[in-house]
Amino acid sequence: MSVSSPDLKAFLLATPFFGGLSDASLDLLVSMMVERRFDTGAAIVTEGEPGRSMFIVHSGKLVVSKLGESGRSIFMSILEPGDFFGEMTLIEMQNRSASVVAESETLLYELTAKNLYTYYKADIHAYVIVMQNINRELCRRLRRADGRIAELIARTDG
């Protein structure tokens, strides 16, 4: 089900993904999104599966995990309202890099690669802003990961 509501627009404008978009550009992007509801414990995406969409968390709490070499699930992070995930598959067209499971009832908005391409064709300026926003968030995540790696190395050296 595609969406369109003033409350949803206000929510999305407050997320890092949609910053800087004009009203018309945001309306177009919102019209392409699909509402998805998940129960507690539902697997939203699974590491290794093909991925052709990203999700914005409207409500709920999700856990991101990766499989370790031993096959054990390793906790990576928590996602909450305003966060987004799955964007890497839209950029590099690779399989999912992690699994995401709903910790509570969850409401997500999905944007597919196909719809993002349609957005590119309709409004290239807005598309560039969206891609800059995604890249900015990826850089933040990389900096946090670098910090965690440095902490782990410091623990093992000491």
Side-chain angles (χ1 to χ4, degrees):
M1 149 179 162
S2 59
V3 293
S4 175
S5 98
D7 290 341
L8 177 60
K9 270 180 64 173
F11 169 78
L12 293 174
L13 279 172
T15 69
F17 182 74
F18 294 97
L21 293 177
S22 70
D23 264 357
S25 295
L26 181 60
D27 285 340
L28 177 59
L29 195 56
V30 167
S31 75
M32 297 176 173
M33 300 175 77
V34 177
E35 183 178 289
R36 302 274 188 221
R37 294 180 182 274
F38 296 90
D39 292 329
T40 302
I44 314 303
V45 300
T46 302
E47 183 176 350
E49 73 182 5
R52 300 294 175 254
S53 64
M54 65 167 288
F55 300 88
I56 296 99
V57 181
H58 187 267
S59 64
K61 183 176 175 182
L62 302 107
V63 172
V64 180
S65 63
K66 286 189 66 63
L67 290 176
E69 294 211 2
S70 67
R72 184 176 65 93
S73 181
I74 301 167
F75 168 83
M76 298 301 290
S77 66
I78 296 284
L79 299 172
E80 295 179 317
D83 290 331
F84 58 89
F85 63 96
E87 72 289 341
M88 287 176 17
T89 65
L90 299 182
I91 295 170
E92 63 176 351
M93 303 303 264
Q94 297 290 319
N95 290 344
R96 299 285 184 191
S97 65
S99 295
V100 179
V101 174
E103 277 280 293
S104 63
E105 287 191 17
T106 301
L107 173 60
L108 305 174
Y109 289 96
E110 182 178 23
L111 180 64
T112 66
K114 181 180 177 183
N115 284 342
L116 191 58
Y117 181 72
T118 300
Y119 192 62
Y120 161 78
K121 297 298 259 178
D123 189 344
I124 193 163
H125 177 75
Y127 173 83
V128 168
I129 291 171
V130 166
M131 295 309 289
Q132 286 177 321
N133 290 343
I134 288 173
N135 289 328
R136 199 171 290 119
E137 181 62 22
L138 289 172
C139 288
R140 286 184 196 114
R141 292 176 188 177
L142 183 57
R143 286 180 190 276
R144 281 194 304 267
D146 286 348
R148 288 180 184 167
I149 292 167
E151 286 176 21
L152 288 171
I153 291 171
R155 283 188 214 153
T156 59
D157 285 348

